[in-house]
Amino acid sequence: MADILNTSLNEVLVPESLGLPATRRHVLWAGARAWSPKGAMALLDQGLISGANFIVGILLARNLAPHEYGAYALAFQVFLFLSVGYSAMVLEPLSVFGSSVYRDSNREYLGVLLWVHAVIASAIVLGLGACAWVLSMVSPRSHLTAALIGVAIASPCMLLFSLARRGFYVKLSPRQAVLGAVGYFAVVIGGLSLVFYRGRLSPLAAFLLIAAGAGAMAPMMLGRLGFALKPQQGLLKLSEVVRRHWGYGRWALGSALAVWFSSAVYLPILGTSHGLAEAGTLQALSNFSSPIAQAFVAMSMLTLPYAAGVHHANSSTGAHHLAAKLAMMYAGGTVLYWLIMVTFRWQIVEHLYAGKYLGIVGLVPWLAVSSVLRISATSQAIILRAMHAPSLVFTAYSAASVVDVVAGIPLTWTFGLWGAILGMISSSAVALIVTFALLHRHTFSPLCLKH
């Protein structure tokens, strides 16, 4: 894995076609080699956590009734929504400020973020608890009530775990994050096996296992990082940290919510118009896109800093060439993944879901089209972020969200699962077209060339 990553980074991120001076290219090339083991660790870290969650989802799909699995799918979208907002406002700014502004006061900075986390966690528990209570009054037999309670418990634990992991990435120590991921995987899968053999599998049990894995690992990881809940007087102020995070994260939050909306809107629409069972079927189909999406999430943690370095070294020219290289890398990897999935889709669906959800087999190639388009758009969005243009990323994904609202929702309401897939393909295509157009315009604009 490390050798493959080493080759891809050297060839894609620092090619001669960027036109960099030989000495500068040599420095970047050496940096790519140094980052290769870290990139492999990042992939392993993401793979262990996503893999554990993926196994939970698959086992639920195999053993629960479609309407129960639909309740889990809807609740999991709430979980993803909270993760997206937290990542944009807390984790991404931590990556930036933790290695720059607060580089010499990381312990105090992390302590302040823990207070911020406590406020967010309290709001999540109270908010979701209230939603679950209202739902229990309105629909006493709904399986969604217990699932929402599970999300209310799991979300604060998982977000704290993510905060601890990101702290190690700030220290350029993904190996320590991997150790936490191994512990999380062991707790979740071990608990899942016990719950399964005792016949207690349910959406609530799944979220409680996620909470147990994250809750067990987060305190140990934070202890290894070190933090100060009572910083020295005047060293750091909560208001200052919040102001910096909001200034950086507001555009990232808008972009992240737009991306989340484009994929999440179809589950509740499908559930309300065609029933929870149909929502569960869409989730069973969407599970196939999760592994490749998570792989590129891990890769983006590595490619974004390199893209920023190339832009800084050679302004718009280097960024333009790198955009093409990343598009080839992201789209090519996604196409290879889907060639395997589409070729063996009958066997994979039958094996994963124990003969259930065979109706999604014909939809797998269409999901592949949406996935390739969306991940290709992600590669272009990385360059825009590296060029300090997060507002353009927000614009691109907002355009995709408009397509979801104008076309995707009516199609889903009318045609069910097929309509949802057509909506996803349409919004993904728009995301790619707009990101490409904005990148091209921003790259060759007079202001950018002057920069």
Side-chain angles (χ1 to χ4, degrees), residues 3 29 58 90 168 170 193 208 298 388 430 435:
D3 292 339
W29 195 302
I58 293 297
V90 178
F168 284 115
V170 170
S193 301
L208 291 179
H388 308 285
V430 168
T435 51

Side-chain angles (χ1 to χ4, degrees), residues 138-159:
V138 175
S139 180
R141 296 184 180 181
S142 176
H143 292 280
L144 189 56
T145 302
L148 284 177
I149 293 173
V151 174
I153 297 170
S155 294
C157 298
M158 195 63 183
L159 297 180

Side-chain angles (χ1 to χ4, degrees), residues 24-367:
R24 180 63 176 167
R25 191 167 64 245
H26 176 74
V27 171
L28 289 175
W29 195 302
R33 290 184 179 277
W35 272 85
S36 295
K38 298 181 186 295
M41 289 291 104
L43 284 170
L44 180 58
D45 175 40
Q46 189 70 30
L48 285 167
I49 294 170
S50 300
N53 296 340
F54 181 77
I55 293 171
V56 169
I58 293 297
L59 198 59
L60 288 174
R62 285 171 61 97
N63 293 278
L64 297 184
H67 62 279
E68 289 183 282
Y69 186 63
Y72 168 78
L74 288 175
F76 195 76
Q77 285 302 323
V78 175
F79 179 72
L80 290 180
F81 170 78
L82 296 171
S83 300
V84 161
Y86 190 86
S87 177
M89 298 305 300
V90 178
L91 301 183
E92 286 189 34
L94 168 60
S95 295
V96 175
F97 300 134
S99 56
S100 56
V101 178
Y102 302 120
R103 183 175 182 177
D104 297 325
S105 54
N106 258 321
R107 295 179 71 256
E108 290 77 11
Y109 178 44
L110 184 58
V112 171
L113 290 184
L114 287 175
W115 285 113
V116 172
H117 173 84
V119 173
I120 294 173
S122 300
I124 289 173
V125 171
L126 291 175
L128 290 182
C131 289
W133 179 77
V134 170
L135 184 60
S136 68
M137 297 292 104
V138 175
S139 180
R141 296 184 180 181
S142 176
H143 292 280
L144 189 56
T145 302
L148 284 177
I149 293 173
V151 174
I153 297 170
S155 294
C157 298
M158 195 63 183
L159 297 180
L160 185 63
F161 182 48
S162 299
L163 178 63
R165 289 172 58 220
R166 191 62 63 100
F168 284 115
Y169 279 97
V170 170
K171 292 177 175 291
L172 301 180
S173 182
R175 187 184 299 272
Q176 296 295 326
V178 169
L179 294 177
V182 169
Y184 174 83
F185 186 91
V187 172
V188 172
I189 300 305
L192 185 65
S193 301
L194 183 62
V195 169
F196 174 72
Y197 285 114
R198 290 195 172 187
R200 299 294 181 89
L201 201 60
S202 68
L204 176 59
F207 286 116
L208 291 179
L209 288 173
I210 291 173
M217 293 299 109
M220 291 188 288
M221 296 175 71
L222 288 169
R224 292 182 65 86
L225 278 171
F227 58 90
L229 290 177
K230 295 182 179 179
Q232 299 175 14
Q233 186 68 27
L235 183 61
L236 277 180
K237 293 182 178 179
L238 177 63
S239 59
E240 174 199 339
V241 172
V242 171
R243 178 179 57 81
R244 286 187 185 277
H245 276 240
W246 172 248
Y248 177 90
R250 56 188 177 184
W251 287 114
L253 177 62
S255 302
L257 291 179
V259 172
W260 171 83
F261 178 83
S262 290
S263 60
V265 66
Y266 295 99
L267 277 170
I269 296 300
L270 204 57
T272 54
S273 61
H274 295 271
L276 283 177
E278 196 76 352
T281 302
L282 177 58
Q283 182 62 42
L285 176 65
S286 300
N287 284 337
F288 287 96
S289 63
S290 179
I292 189 64
Q294 293 300 323
F296 282 111
V297 165
M299 283 298 297
S300 296
M301 295 177 70
L302 194 61
T303 53
L304 179 57
Y306 273 98
V310 169
H311 172 63
H312 179 75
N314 207 33
S315 191
S316 60
T317 304
H320 176 71
H321 288 291
L322 182 56
K325 298 291 183 180
L326 282 183
M328 292 173 58
M329 176 182 172
Y330 277 57
T334 309
V335 168
L336 287 175
Y337 169 82
W338 281 111
L339 280 175
I340 298 172
M341 298 299 291
V342 170
T343 301
F344 300 102
R345 61 188 184 277
W346 277 103
Q347 297 90 328
I348 294 172
V349 171
E350 187 172 9
H351 177 71
L352 282 181
Y353 297 125
K356 298 166 68 175
Y357 301 107
L358 291 177
I360 68 174
V361 171
L363 294 172
V364 172
W366 298 101
L367 180 67

